[in-house]
Every structure is written in structure tokens, then in C-alpha cells.
Amino acid sequence: MSVFRTAQHHLTQQALLDAYAALLDSAAQMHELANKEEWAALIDQRTHYLMLVEKLREMDASVALDSTGKQRKAELLEAILE
């Protein structure tokens, strides 16, 4: 793989992992808003969360992760599900 393709792959992989991290942050914010009974803000955050999910669905279909990326993705998914 050329240096350019390696760098491009890394950026794409990092973008995917960053999107999963953003989803985790969004889920945590939703949990916090629910605990505070801030329902209007929770609905807004849920909309943001769903947009992130759709973005991830598209990215996931086009990005191949290396073993480190797969491990990080699994960690993020586990945290999101908690």
C-alpha cells in the first residue's frame, strides 16, 4: 500500500472511530438529560444521536478496520450499550 493510501486509510479509520466516540458522548448526554428530566433537550439530543447512527451505518459499510481499529470499535460499542 502506498504512503498516500496508508494515510488515507488511517484517516478514514480514525473518522469512523471518532464517529463511534461521538455516539458514545451523545448516549451519555441523553442519559444525563433523562436523569435531570430535561425532556425537550433529550428529544433534541435523540435526534442528534439518530443522525450519528445513520452516519455510522454509511461509514461502517465503506471502511475496513485493522485489528486495532476493530478492538477500539468493540470497546466503544460496549460502552454505548452500557
Side-chain angles (χ1 to χ4, degrees), residues 2-19:
S2 72
V3 173
F4 174 75
R5 286 184 53 89
T6 301
Q8 184 180 20
H9 171 75
H10 177 72
L11 290 175
T12 304
Q13 176 172 290
Q14 190 58 52
L16 178 62
L17 295 174
D18 289 347

Side-chain angles (χ1 to χ4, degrees), residues 8-73:
Q8 184 180 20
H9 171 75
H10 177 72
L11 290 175
T12 304
Q13 176 172 290
Q14 190 58 52
L16 178 62
L17 295 174
D18 289 347
Y20 273 102
L23 190 66
L24 175 58
D25 289 343
S26 183
Q29 289 175 10
M30 287 172 43
H31 184 69
E32 184 177 320
L33 290 168
N35 285 337
K36 292 180 181 179
E37 298 182 6
E38 295 182 16
W39 307 122
L42 176 62
I43 290 169
D44 290 341
Q45 187 61 38
R46 179 181 176 270
T47 300
H48 177 71
Y49 181 89
L50 292 174
M51 289 170 47
L52 286 171
V53 167
E54 184 58 34
K55 177 182 175 182
L56 276 169
R57 184 175 297 138
E58 293 170 7
M59 290 177 75
D60 234 353
S62 64
V63 176
L65 297 173
D66 61 20
S67 60
T68 303
K70 288 177 185 176
Q71 181 177 350
R72 179 66 183 142
K73 176 183 170 183

